[in-house]
Amino acid sequence: MMGQKYCLTSAQWKYAQACLTLAKRFGLIDDDSPEALEKRCAAKNAETVAAERNGQVTYGTRCYNIAAYLQYELTRFRLDFVEPSDRIRALGVCPDFTAEETRAFYDANRDLFTRYFNDSFSYDEVRLIIEKRLREEVYDNLVQDILCESQNR
């Protein structure tokens, strides 16, 4: 089973495939196949080796196994949407939220915005976090749409 190679359950693998498909639709990757994922992983590892050989300072993971690289990509794709990259902004798929929408989320979820001693963060302190959270919901809905498409085939 393919998911085992990536240390994922069958359901997690389907979700990961849907995320890869969404990334392809957004133009973040050219190919959403497992083979292309493995090629991108090898290229990323080769890039790090070459940088180290050239005496460049490198940060983060030096050599990805395929499971770790998949998680790296899935996180990167989500972040490209949540903190919209220029490419995502240009597509027009990432929503902006009004002050009323973010304020409504804040008012409905005040329990999410408390400190250790139960005092609350102000709306202004967490407005950007709320926008990111709302974009995460949009991203997850887009992935769910892809999962529904694959079930309806």
Side-chain angles (χ1 to χ4, degrees), residues 13-29:
W13 174 240
K14 286 178 185 176
Y15 184 85
Q17 285 179 301
C19 292
L20 291 168
T21 298
L22 185 61
K24 180 180 176 186
R25 288 180 184 177
F26 287 164
L28 301 175
I29 57 176

Side-chain angles (χ1 to χ4, degrees), residues 10-135:
S10 176
Q12 290 169 327
W13 174 240
K14 286 178 185 176
Y15 184 85
Q17 285 179 301
C19 292
L20 291 168
T21 298
L22 185 61
K24 180 180 176 186
R25 288 180 184 177
F26 287 164
L28 301 175
I29 57 176
D30 295 327
D31 187 342
D32 60 353
S33 70
E35 297 79 19
L37 174 71
E38 291 178 20
K39 286 179 184 176
R40 290 191 301 274
C41 177
K44 178 76 170 166
N45 288 336
E47 180 183 306
T48 304
V49 168
E52 288 177 344
R53 270 196 205 125
N54 292 332
Q56 297 173 329
V57 177
T58 58
Y59 298 95
T61 304
R62 294 174 68 199
C63 183
Y64 288 93
N65 65 36
I66 192 63
Y69 186 76
L70 173 62
Q71 292 307 310
Y72 163 79
E73 278 203 343
L74 296 179
T75 300
R76 195 187 86 222
F77 299 150
R78 179 179 286 273
L79 289 175
D80 279 351
F81 193 86
V82 171
E83 291 187 4
S85 65
D86 291 340
R87 179 177 279 172
I88 296 295
R89 282 253 185 239
L91 292 173
V93 295
C94 190
D96 288 316
F97 297 97
T98 65
E100 291 79 23
E101 291 170 314
T102 55
R103 184 63 179 205
F105 185 90
Y106 176 78
D107 291 339
N109 297 283
R110 284 190 182 257
D111 59 314
L112 297 177
F113 307 108
T114 58
R115 292 182 181 91
Y116 181 74
F117 291 108
N118 227 16
D119 59 321
S120 294
F121 288 96
S122 72
Y123 168 75
D124 290 330
E125 290 175 299
V126 296
R127 182 183 54 80
L128 293 176
I129 294 167
I130 293 169
E131 288 178 11
K132 291 174 186 178
R133 174 75 171 103
L134 292 172
R135 283 191 200 103

Side-chain angles (χ1 to χ4, degrees), residues 135-151:
R135 283 191 200 103
E136 278 185 325
E137 289 177 11
V138 171
Y139 180 86
D140 287 334
N141 288 336
L142 291 169
V143 172
Q144 288 304 317
D145 289 346
I146 291 170
L147 288 169
C148 288
E149 288 172 16
S150 66
Q151 286 179 348

